[in-house]
Amino acid sequence: MATAQLSHPVKLCKETIFPSQIATEHESLIMVKKLFATSISCITYLRGLFPESSYGERHLEDLSLKILREDKKCPGSLHIIKWIQGCFDALEKKYLHMAILTLYKNPKEPEKMTEIYQFKFSYTKDGTTMDFDSTSTSFESGANSEDIKKASVLLIRKLYILMQNLGPLPNDVILTMKLHYYNDVTPYDYQPPGFKEGVNSHLLLFDGNPVNLKVGLVSTGFHSMKVKVTTEATRVVGLGYQENSTTEIAHQGLDCEEEEEEEEESNNHIQSLDFTCNQENSQNSMMKRKVSEPMKGIISNRK
């Protein structure tokens, strides 16, 4: 039986995925945890990173979801569940700014990425707003729990559509995850379970021609989570991507227009083999941001 404590992603498989009511900060936290864990499960399953035995099945409306669970035959699934639990700890404390799941091919060049998944979190009580489709649908302050649930279902649906339409990854990839924090509230020596102090760099190399895909934003009035995917341009063939132009996949139900934000560079400039993973105007600020990384990466043999 599922409990309100999302201490284990496997519990997502047992009962309802999203809470029926989201009126308090605690209920909002449960919602964001489940949305995050469901998104990671979606990505790892549809990108073929772990075997079928590492997932349980749940249904969300007309979607059949595969949710990560402990699989002792697959150490990688055990590691990523620990990563998710570490993120939960940082979310509970309101320290977590971004969780960045990255995939790379060469263990000697971990800075040269082949795919990146960014989950950006914020904490607020200023009201509920959502804006994640091509028609700029928005729920203003006071949106009810059903609206938030619908928004979350839509984000998962968009993520599934994207994952199902991306071209294949290389056979052998390595997974890692970096956590970035809000420095003004995060203790200098804080490390969530399963993580150690990481090296922060505003410069990442991208193995190929990268393209940014905005998946969506969900806000509950207490928390918000924004999802963005960066992948090789050749993997989005057929999704409406045009080189050197705004990525458009509206016909697939996805809105990938770049949002104008104070903390992101205008136009989110990215170049082949010179991918600047800079989420703020000030590079110096980003370079000083506290970062955690896992004790070890996960090797996914996909042959």
Side-chain angles (χ1 to χ4, degrees):
M1 180 67 66
T3 66
Q5 297 295 325
L6 231 180
S7 59
H8 223 294
V10 67
K11 293 180 181 178
L12 290 175
C13 306
K14 299 294 186 178
E15 208 173 77
T16 180
I17 290 182
F18 298 134
S20 57
Q21 181 174 329
I22 309 155
T24 67
E25 186 172 2
H26 177 67
E27 290 165 347
S28 171
L29 177 63
I30 293 171
M31 177 74 186
V32 173
K33 284 181 177 180
K34 290 190 173 186
L35 185 59
F36 176 66
T38 301
S39 299
I40 294 290
S41 297
C42 160
I43 292 164
T44 58
Y45 180 77
L46 291 175
R47 298 310 272 147
L49 299 177
F50 302 123
E52 190 82 21
S53 59
S54 299
Y55 300 85
E57 187 170 353
R58 284 290 298 129
H59 292 277
L60 182 63
E61 295 188 347
D62 60 338
L63 290 176
S64 178
L65 303 180
K66 298 291 186 176
I67 306 298
L68 273 165
R69 64 183 179 186
E70 286 188 332
D71 179 11
K72 294 182 180 180
K73 295 181 181 179
C74 178
S77 68
L78 301 179
H79 285 309
I80 203 163
I81 285 174
K82 289 181 180 179
W83 296 358
I84 294 172
Q85 292 172 336
C87 291
F88 287 176
D89 186 82
L91 278 169
E92 290 170 1
K93 294 176 170 65
K94 300 183 182 180
Y95 295 163
L96 186 61
H97 177 227
M98 284 192 295
I100 306 177
L101 180 69
T102 59
L103 284 68
Y104 59 98
K105 296 184 293 185
N106 188 344
K108 295 181 180 180
E109 296 180 305
E111 74 284 354
K112 188 181 289 187
M113 308 300 175
T114 190
E115 205 149 87
I116 302 172
Y117 297 88
Q118 296 183 46
F119 298 85
K120 188 173 183 179
F121 302 93
S122 62
Y123 314 89
T124 179
K125 294 184 179 180
D126 294 336
T128 303
T129 60
M130 305 172 200
D131 184 3
F132 39 64
D133 68 8
S134 57
T135 59
S136 297
T137 301
S138 177
F139 297 101
E140 299 299 333
S141 180
N144 61 36
S145 300
E146 191 61 30
D147 289 332
I148 298 171
K149 264 179 70 174
K150 288 178 180 178
S152 301
V153 170
L154 181 57
L155 186 144
I156 294 299
R157 190 183 301 278
K158 287 176 166 183
L159 196 54
Y160 258 65
I161 291 171
L162 176 58
M163 295 297 101
Q164 288 172 332
N165 285 278
L166 285 182
L169 289 166
N171 284 333
D172 296 322
V173 291
I174 303 170
L175 287 73
T176 191
M177 179 182 282
K178 283 200 173 184
L179 306 186
H180 295 246
Y181 303 94
Y182 288 100
N183 283 354
D184 56 340
V185 295
T186 307
Y188 179 78
D189 59 351
Y190 171 76
Q191 295 297 335
F195 287 84
K196 63 181 180 180
E197 184 177 356
V199 177
N200 194 354
S201 173
H202 70 280
L203 183 64
L204 295 176
L205 303 180
F206 201 93
D207 190 14
N209 182 23
V211 56
N212 276 338
L213 305 173
K214 289 293 184 84
V215 179
L217 165 70
V218 172
S219 174
T220 67
F222 297 98
H223 304 83
S224 70
M225 187 182 88
K226 179 165 56 178
V227 184
K228 184 172 73 173
V229 178
T230 305
T231 188
E232 163 62 46
T234 58
R235 295 182 195 139
V236 298
V237 174
L239 287 178
Y241 168 70
Q242 297 178 358
E243 191 171 358
N244 297 324
S245 67
T246 301
T247 304
E248 293 182 357
I249 24 182
H251 66 284
Q252 294 286 353
L254 298 172
D255 174 26
C256 297
E257 295 181 359
E258 298 296 338
E259 298 174 7
E260 294 182 359
E261 301 178 357
E262 289 183 358
E263 68 253 9
E264 291 191 6
E265 292 182 328
S266 61
N267 299 325
N268 257 336
H269 183 63
I270 51 178
Q271 296 178 348
S272 180
L273 297 182
D274 188 16
F275 174 62
T276 304
C277 184
N278 186 357
Q279 298 299 322
E280 301 185 356
N281 280 332
S282 170
Q283 290 187 0
N284 290 333
S285 175
M286 184 64 179
M287 291 176 66
K288 294 178 181 179
R289 188 177 294 281
K290 176 179 171 60
V291 172
S292 296
E293 61 186 33
M295 298 297 184
K296 62 181 296 186
I298 299 173
I299 300 176
S300 175
N301 189 316
R302 307 172 62 254
K303 293 181 180 178

